[in-house]
Amino acid sequence: MYTIKDLYDLDHTLAKDYLSQFTYPWEALKGIKDFILELGPTLGDDYEQRAQGVWVHKTATVFPSAYLGSPCIIGPETEVRHGAFIRGSALVGANCVVGNSVELKNVILFDHVQTPHYNYVGDSILGYFSHMGAGSITSNVKSDKRLVVVHNGTENIETGIKKFGAMLGDHVEVGCNAVCNPGTVIGRNSSVYPTSCVRGVVPENCIFKNSGEVIERKAD
């Protein structure tokens, strides 16, 4: 339930070939910077190189006060709004929203991802059509600075990395002011209640209400 194949439809990202090399999505975090630097020069005439290591699709909208740090790629029809801070190592897909006061660092955002208001997204991968409500964040370093472990019930998966925010599957909804703690993995089509504090693995097609209450989503 937490492999790349479980979480993502890779047809909705320029990182398809890159991610296909790995079993678990967090294995891809260390190489995002180098991957973007290799991919950028191959993108063709539909992209403009606006600075060293910064490629923006000609149909994307980047507001004047937004900061695009190197390396990054901004996809077609995407909006990067006022005050957005892309620190670097960010691949942002097509038809995405990077909103006001949003900070991105070492991330892959699939197509149609929305991070529209006051979000921090670091060392994370956000799947197709995933959405983070206003003020929701991915916390990417443990308070004790130890290596991140993914907890799934009684199973503990050692990742071997210190910085790991959240892996959101396709069509995941994260409510306003929720915190995804280091090592959070949320399965496809699942939702997180506003103001929740999420840790570990949330199965697909579920609703996370709080740490003791995760229920299966009812069919429409």
Side-chain angles (χ1 to χ4, degrees), residues 106-157:
N106 200 50
V107 296
I108 296 173
L109 273 57
F110 279 52
D111 300 340
H112 289 278
V113 170
Q114 293 195 339
T115 57
H117 315 284
Y118 306 105
N119 308 110
Y120 173 70
V121 186
D123 300 285
S124 299
I125 299 176
L126 276 55
Y128 181 56
F129 265 107
S130 59
H131 171 262
M132 296 189 69
S136 61
I137 66 169
T138 65
S139 174
N140 60 335
V141 180
K142 295 175 64 175
S143 59
D144 60 11
K145 306 302 187 291
R146 294 183 179 180
L147 301 180
V148 175
V149 177
V150 175
H151 301 286
N152 182 30
T154 59
E155 182 182 14
N156 297 314
I157 305 167

Side-chain angles (χ1 to χ4, degrees), residues 187-205:
R188 296 177 191 242
N189 305 308
S190 286
S191 298
V192 171
Y193 265 24
T195 72
S196 299
C197 187
V198 190
R199 188 183 306 275
V201 176
V202 178
E204 64 181 30
N205 299 309

